[in-house]
Amino acid sequence: MVYSMRLTAATWPEVEAYLKTKNALILPTGSVEQHGPIGLIGTDYMTAQAVAERVGEILQVYAAPPVCYGMASHHLGFPGSASVRPSVYQAYLCELFRSFYGHGFRRFYVVNGHGGNKHSLNAVFQELKHEGCAGASFNLFNWWVLPEVEALAKELYGDREGHHGTPSEVSLTFHLEGIDSREGQFSCEPLKSPWPLSGAEFRKLSATGLMSSDPALARREHGKRFLEVAAASIVGQVQRLPVLA
Ligand code: NI
């Protein structure tokens, strides 16, 4: 699959020319963390990157490479998971936005694939606007809770979608990686507890690492649908946004 609007596949003169007529940049954010017994550890950044690049292709806007690692301390009880503490994650993201802002990017569309990043991302936007960043606008799109995506998940999985290692996100990774499906038996029991949790606490409450989801329902062909539905939803919202600069 070839995407024409990958920032990493552009040259600096191309970016300089782009900035003469456009100032938007899409940034995918995700996480590297366990996604249950059959979900991939890269799920959150892989899905965010795919949606971001599809939006970039449709809007002809550059999509930056993903910030793969995120705030995932509650998953550290499962091997292969990695986390960045909120203060470090926020400082790191601020530096990236300052870099792009310095070159003239103003409209930032963050396509996020991980719930644990949400609060930090909003804190980063506030931090940057506190500094000024005149003309900059920040919009956060948590792709898995877009209304059209939630409707499709409801149609396909009913109340077995759950909240982590969900069949919708697992389907999207199966589409990207060419996996048809994987077998498993999952109970979808509700996870009731205070939040946030440490890695050890979460593992104690969820032996599989899942949160009320049944990823055995994931199918490769569903993944393509989620990708297109999420991208179309974000494109529609972006086209209705007020313009600051
Ligand atoms: Ni996820």
Side-chain angles (χ1 to χ4, degrees):
M1 198 181 298
V2 176
Y3 293 107
S4 58
M5 294 307 293
R6 275 187 174 156
L7 183 69
T8 48
T11 63
W12 74 257
E14 287 170 342
V15 178
E16 193 169 72
Y18 171 93
L19 286 165
K20 289 189 194 318
T21 57
K22 293 185 175 185
N23 61 12
L25 184 70
I26 308 166
L27 180 70
T29 55
S31 182
V32 176
E33 65 185 44
Q34 68 84 18
H35 270 72
I38 63 173
L40 310 186
I41 283 173
T43 296
D44 290 355
Y45 89 79
M46 293 163 68
T47 55
Q49 180 178 18
V51 174
E53 290 181 349
R54 185 75 186 106
V55 171
E57 194 180 46
I58 297 168
L59 291 175
Q60 290 296 288
V61 163
Y62 277 129
V67 179
C68 296
Y69 295 90
M71 216 306 290
S73 51
H74 49 291
H75 293 297
L76 288 177
F78 295 88
S81 305
S83 183
V84 181
R85 71 180 58 228
S87 56
V88 174
Y89 182 68
Q90 290 169 25
Y92 183 76
L93 276 164
C94 280
E95 297 298 334
L96 300 183
F97 283 117
R98 288 186 191 110
S99 303
F100 291 127
Y101 180 84
H103 297 135
F105 287 100
R106 292 293 179 270
R107 277 177 262 185
F108 295 101
Y109 309 132
V110 177
V111 176
N112 179 42
H114 174 51
N117 294 341
K118 287 188 295 187
H119 296 304
S120 279
L121 287 164
N122 281 311
V124 164
F125 302 158
Q126 288 176 330
E127 179 83 23
L128 292 167
K129 291 309 284 188
H130 179 81
E131 289 174 15
C133 285
S137 60
F138 301 94
N139 290 95
L140 177 59
F141 300 98
N142 298 305
W143 78 263
W144 72 99
V145 285
L146 294 165
E148 297 87 342
V149 171
E150 285 195 322
L152 180 57
K154 185 86 185 156
E155 176 195 321
L156 293 172
Y157 315 123
D159 60 3
R160 299 182 77 78
E161 163 73 354
H163 306 289
H164 178 67
T166 61
S168 59
E169 62 178 350
V170 171
S171 289
L172 183 35
T173 63
F174 283 2
H175 165 64
L176 298 172
E177 293 295 310
I179 301 165
D180 290 327
S181 64
R182 283 181 175 173
E183 287 179 15
Q185 292 218 317
F186 306 106
S187 68
C188 299
E189 278 170 28
L191 182 73
K192 287 181 184 151
S193 96
W195 199 260
L197 296 168
S198 72
E201 289 163 346
F202 179 59
R203 180 147 188 174
K204 204 170 160 189
L205 290 167
S206 173
T208 58
L210 299 171
M211 294 181 200
S212 318
S213 60
D214 183 359
L217 299 174
R219 297 290 180 272
R220 179 182 184 174
E221 61 268 25
H222 296 170
K224 171 96 176 125
R225 292 175 69 187
F226 280 109
L227 178 59
E228 293 304 327
V229 164
S233 173
I234 293 172
V235 166
Q237 288 189 49
V238 163
Q239 287 171 335
R240 293 191 296 274
L241 286 171
V243 174
L244 293 182

